[in-house]
């Protein structure tokens, strides 16, 4: 049965996140709680929060267990390259323990919490930063996918029994360096002994079209870019389907790992689901 | 009554012994002639940190007769807060530690010995008479084990549902009865083996020391069914065996 490999320090898995850093990411979100916020800021926050959540998930009393190695590649004006800032700058796949111990900085942010008496309190929290927002130039998405394919291929060669790597592409539009679909298909054909590599796409948009989460039908989507990203996405494996259901999201039986015009909460939830296999120990 | 008591444990394959996060109490007994006897097994949730400590606090307190959960939660917090922690450990602590817990008390009544058990989560108690499995508590079938059981939390505000979900069972003992208290992976294996082959009681009765337990776990963790699942999931294992030698 695929997607049942145990993720452990002896058999870790890998996640590659691709972030669109093209000029259009300066525009604001068009929908949801983040409306008006710059897309680049929203995506950097979401990726930082994903890394934070992943670190906390792998934290144990004695330190961090290297269940995952994670790479973050940005694509934009400077082509495609590692997006970490700070001590990890220039690194591709990094063990989660090194990520934990090497944020570029730790910011103080506030979060609103229930005070238990019907009111809202503002609580100060530490927010580690590994990724800064960038937005300039074109959208070399094909090259970014090719780079992720290279990383994942190398990973699988060394970890053939691993839980299949996950590639998460976050973009607001169309590739400016060709048709991304063939290379997406090549990535989805890669496999470890436990199943095929998963490619998920998060399409964020300045349009006001309603959010679409985990659809199984591209006719629900508003434009050709969204439909292309939908086709490029893997079908959600059964274990993730169950997790999405547990989150209270109503989905069809064969949904794709694709979110359109998701607000930030959806983005974070989607990323978390992809990194929370039920057999994680 | 006269009892016989033995224990065994094994960490998850791929982990160091100090990373074992189950707990049990007592570790050993000083006398086999008792009027009342208490024992417990707890299984600290792997996805939370300092859960092994929480499991140990729960077991030790139960056996010592301490019943204030609030005190135990305070004790856990004091111990984990006494050291300086990196940002991620600090944030992880906010969600607290969680553990499954099963406990058993035997006491001498007028003409018999009564047993009382409580459980939260998926650590289990099995009551055995001869080669018969009389009770399986709180889980009856191996298919009912999953990755998200309701567990006892070290934070009071996360415990409302768990406390409401505590299950209680009691009954009478006869001389020769055996109670097994076990964490989830070996309980899961035991119920499945019992259902599919009927020889689980016999196999566990043959486990008389740590070496036997390690041999059994190694073998059953390595065998897979048609779906690729190990017959014994790879997780920490705890086995507590209490036998009533005579009433």
């Amino acid at each position: 049965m695929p997607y049942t490999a145990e993720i452990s320090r002896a058999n870790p898995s890998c996640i590659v996140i691709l972030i669109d850093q093209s000029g259009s990411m300066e525009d604001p979100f068009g929908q949801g709680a983040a409306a008006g916020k710059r897309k680049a800021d929203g995506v950097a926050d979401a990726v930082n929060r994903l890394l934070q959540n992943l670190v906390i998930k792998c934290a144990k009393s004695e330190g961090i267990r290297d269940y995952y190695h994670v790479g973050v590649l940005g694509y934009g004006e400077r082509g495609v390259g590692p997006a970490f800032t700070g001590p990890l700058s220039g690194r591709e796949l990094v063990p989660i323990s090194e990520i934990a111990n090497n944020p570029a900085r730790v910011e103080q942010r506030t979060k609103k919490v229930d005070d238990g008496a019907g009111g809202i309190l503002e609580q100060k929290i530490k927010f580690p930063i590994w990724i800064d927002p960038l937005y300039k130039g074109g959208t070399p998405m094909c090259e970014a996918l090719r780079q992720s394919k290279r990383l994942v291929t190398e990973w699988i060669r060394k970890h053939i029994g691993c839980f299949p790597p996950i590639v998460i592409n976050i973009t607001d539009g169309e590739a400016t360096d060709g048709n991304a679909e063939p290379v997406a298909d090549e990535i989805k054909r890669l496999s470890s002994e436990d199943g095929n590599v998963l490619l998920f796409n998060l399409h964020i948009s300045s349009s006001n079209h309603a959010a679409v989460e985990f659809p199984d039908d591209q006719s629900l989507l508003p434009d050709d870019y969204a439909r292309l990203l939908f086709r490029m996405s893997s079908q959600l494996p059964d274990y993730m389907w169950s997790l999405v259901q547990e989150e209270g999201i109503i989905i069809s039986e064969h949904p794709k790992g694709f979110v359109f015009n998701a607000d930030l909460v959806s983005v974070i939830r989607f990323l978390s689901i992809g990194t929370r296999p039920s057999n994680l120990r | 009554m006269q009892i016989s008591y033995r224990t065994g444990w094994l960490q998850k394959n791929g982990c160091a012994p100090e990373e074992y996060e189950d707990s049990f109490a007592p570790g050993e007994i000083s006398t086999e002639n008792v009027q009342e006897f208490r024992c417990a097994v707890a299984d600290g949730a792997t996805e939370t940190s300092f859960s092994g400590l929480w499991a140990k606090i729960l077991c030790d307190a139960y056996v010592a007769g301490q019943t204030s959960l609030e005190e135990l939660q305070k004790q856990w917090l004091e111990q984990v807060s006494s050291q300086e922690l990196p940002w991620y450990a600090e944030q992880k602590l906010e969600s607290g530690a969680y553990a499954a817990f099963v406990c058993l008390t035997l006491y001498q009544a007028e003409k018999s010995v009564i047993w009382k058990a409580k459980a939260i989560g998926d650590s289990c108690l099995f009551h055995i008479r001869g080669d018969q499995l009389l009770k399986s508590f709180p889980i009856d079938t191996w298919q009912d084990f999953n990755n998200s059981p309701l567990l006892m939390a070290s934070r009071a505000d996360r415990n409302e549902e768990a406390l409401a979900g505590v299950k209680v069972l009691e009954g009478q003992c006869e001389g020769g009865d055996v109670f097994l208290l076990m964490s989830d992976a070996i309980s899961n294996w035991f119920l499945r083996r019992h259902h599919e082959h009927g020889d689980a009681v016999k196999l566990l009765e043959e486990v008389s020391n740590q070496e036997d337990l390690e041999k059994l776990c190694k073998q059953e963790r390595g065998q897979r069914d048609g779906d690729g699942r190990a017959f014994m999931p790879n997780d920490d294992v705890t086995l507590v065996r209490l036998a009533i030698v005579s009433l």
Side-chain angles (χ1 to χ4, degrees):
Chain A
M1 208 160 62
Y3 306 108
T4 53
E6 181 187 37
I7 299 173
S8 65
R9 284 164 291 183
N11 191 30
S13 189
C14 103
I15 297 172
V16 180
I17 303 167
L18 307 176
I19 310 176
D20 182 343
Q21 296 180 325
S22 64
S24 58
M25 293 296 283
E26 189 178 6
D27 300 337
F29 280 95
Q31 180 78 18
K37 186 172 184 172
R38 249 183 347 202
K39 286 183 284 191
D41 290 337
V43 169
D45 278 357
V47 174
N48 284 320
R49 197 175 298 283
L50 161 71
L51 293 172
Q52 180 186 20
N53 286 344
L54 201 55
V55 164
I56 291 171
K57 189 178 277 293
C58 299
K60 293 296 296 176
S61 320
E62 76 284 356
I64 302 287
R65 293 186 181 174
D66 281 328
Y67 293 131
Y68 290 99
H69 291 222
V70 182
V72 186
L73 304 179
Y75 54 98
E77 187 195 25
R78 290 179 292 184
V80 179
F84 286 120
T85 180
L88 300 176
S89 183
R91 300 274 304 274
E92 289 188 321
L93 280 184
V94 182
I96 193 74
S97 61
E98 280 193 60
I99 291 176
N101 291 311
N102 293 286
R105 59 191 182 277
V106 179
E107 293 182 353
Q108 284 273 0
R109 297 208 178 173
T110 52
K111 94 173 168 184
K112 292 188 168 71
V113 291
D114 188 344
D115 68 357
I120 298 289
L121 279 177
E122 286 211 333
Q123 189 183 35
K124 281 196 172 133
I125 53 159
K126 287 180 182 167
F127 192 79
I129 303 289
W130 293 272
I131 306 293
D132 281 323
L134 286 177
Y135 40 85
K136 209 168 187 186
T139 312
M141 192 193 302
C142 298
E143 181 54 23
L145 288 165
R146 273 193 289 272
Q147 297 276 350
S148 73
K149 185 189 162 200
R150 174 180 58 80
L151 290 178
V152 165
T153 304
E154 275 172 32
W155 175 267
I156 292 175
R157 193 169 53 76
K158 292 179 190 157
H159 304 86
I160 188 65
C162 74
F163 185 91
I166 299 173
V167 178
I168 299 166
N169 178 36
I170 307 175
T171 178
D172 72 341
E174 167 192 35
T176 52
D177 62 347
N179 178 6
E181 199 166 359
V183 63
D185 288 342
E186 288 169 26
I187 291 172
K188 288 185 287 182
R189 277 199 296 270
L190 297 171
S191 66
S192 76
E193 288 174 351
D194 190 47
N196 285 75
V197 170
L198 296 168
L199 173 61
F200 297 151
N201 286 283
L202 271 66
H203 189 182
I204 54 175
S205 168
S206 296
S207 92
N208 284 319
H209 191 281
V212 180
E213 293 176 299
F214 313 109
D216 65 351
D217 178 0
Q218 58 179 330
S219 67
L220 299 168
L221 302 172
D223 58 43
D224 287 345
Y225 308 141
R227 283 189 280 273
L228 174 67
L229 288 165
F230 168 88
R231 289 196 302 276
M232 284 164 55
S233 303
S234 302
Q235 191 177 308
L236 280 193
D238 288 347
Y239 90 91
M240 281 191 191
W241 184 86
S242 310
L243 285 172
V244 173
Q245 294 274 47
E246 279 173 25
E247 292 271 329
I249 304 171
I250 297 163
I251 50 174
S252 64
E253 276 185 40
H254 304 290
K256 292 267 202 172
F258 172 81
V259 173
F260 173 77
N261 216 9
D263 63 24
L264 285 186
V265 175
S266 291
V267 168
I268 291 161
R269 190 173 56 193
F270 175 56
L271 296 178
S272 297
I273 287 164
T275 60
R276 199 180 54 190
S278 57
N279 58 342
L280 176 63
R281 282 285 183 269
Chain B
M1 70 188 126
Q2 191 183 355
I3 60 167
S4 140
Y5 180 78
R6 67 171 183 253
T7 61
W9 64 273
L10 185 65
Q11 75 277 10
K12 177 179 172 171
N13 193 22
C15 288
E18 58 271 21
E19 291 171 345
Y20 165 78
E21 292 176 313
D22 285 359
S23 193
F24 57 91
E28 52 189 33
I29 57 173
S30 53
T31 173
E32 294 184 335
N33 287 303
V34 293
Q35 287 293 311
E36 182 179 314
F37 184 74
R38 287 169 168 244
C39 58
V41 164
D43 173 2
T46 321
E47 283 228 13
T48 61
S49 64
F50 298 100
S51 55
L53 172 67
W54 178 232
K56 185 173 186 320
I57 288 173
L58 288 173
C59 289
D60 289 348
Y62 179 76
V63 169
Q66 279 176 268
T67 52
S68 162
L69 191 57
E70 200 181 322
E71 278 302 311
L72 305 185
Q73 287 163 336
K74 215 169 121 190
Q75 200 181 325
W76 178 85
L77 192 60
E78 275 170 11
Q79 289 195 39
V80 298
S81 313
S82 61
Q83 46 197 311
E84 189 154 333
L85 296 169
W87 67 267
Y88 45 82
E90 239 175 53
Q91 292 189 5
K92 185 128 185 171
L93 274 189
E94 282 174 21
S95 54
Y98 291 74
F101 180 68
V102 62
C103 59
L104 172 71
T105 298
L106 296 182
Y107 62 92
Q108 197 89 49
E110 213 170 303
K111 288 179 184 166
S112 62
V113 170
I114 305 291
W115 64 270
K116 276 192 178 177
K118 285 185 189 176
I120 178 78
D122 53 7
S123 289
C124 294
L125 172 142
F126 302 100
H127 183 193
I128 292 159
R129 186 166 293 159
D131 57 0
Q132 296 297 307
L133 175 60
L134 296 185
K135 291 277 183 210
S136 170
F137 171 75
I139 293 177
D140 293 325
T141 56
W142 68 274
Q143 291 94 338
D144 287 345
F145 289 91
N146 62 49
N147 281 313
S148 49
L150 195 57
L151 302 174
M152 191 62 78
S154 65
R155 279 183 55 156
D157 60 347
R158 306 279 171 100
N159 255 343
E160 201 177 323
E161 210 186 337
L163 287 171
V166 173
K167 294 188 174 143
V168 182
L169 193 67
E170 64 177 270
Q172 281 191 3
C173 305
E174 289 184 6
D177 282 3
V178 171
F179 292 91
L180 301 174
L181 277 70
M182 306 196 285
S183 48
D184 63 324
I186 188 168
S187 296
N188 183 335
W189 166 82
F190 179 79
L191 281 173
R192 184 173 185 181
R193 182 86 198 186
H194 179 72
H195 175 72
E196 293 179 354
H197 298 274
D199 60 353
V201 171
K202 179 174 166 285
L203 287 176
L204 275 194
E205 282 301 277
E206 286 168 6
V207 172
S208 60
N209 55 39
Q210 180 70 20
E211 199 185 339
D212 291 343
L213 181 65
E214 288 177 17
K215 201 171 141 194
L216 175 80
C217 293
K218 191 176 172 196
Q219 179 182 312
E220 298 301 318
R221 282 171 178 173
Q223 297 214 7
R224 295 185 180 271
D225 64 14
D227 288 333
R229 273 182 303 209
F231 282 105
M232 187 185 292
N234 182 25
D235 199 356
D236 290 337
V237 160
T238 300
L239 166 64
V240 163
R241 179 187 184 274
L242 172 69
I244 320 276
V245 178
S246 61
L247 294 181

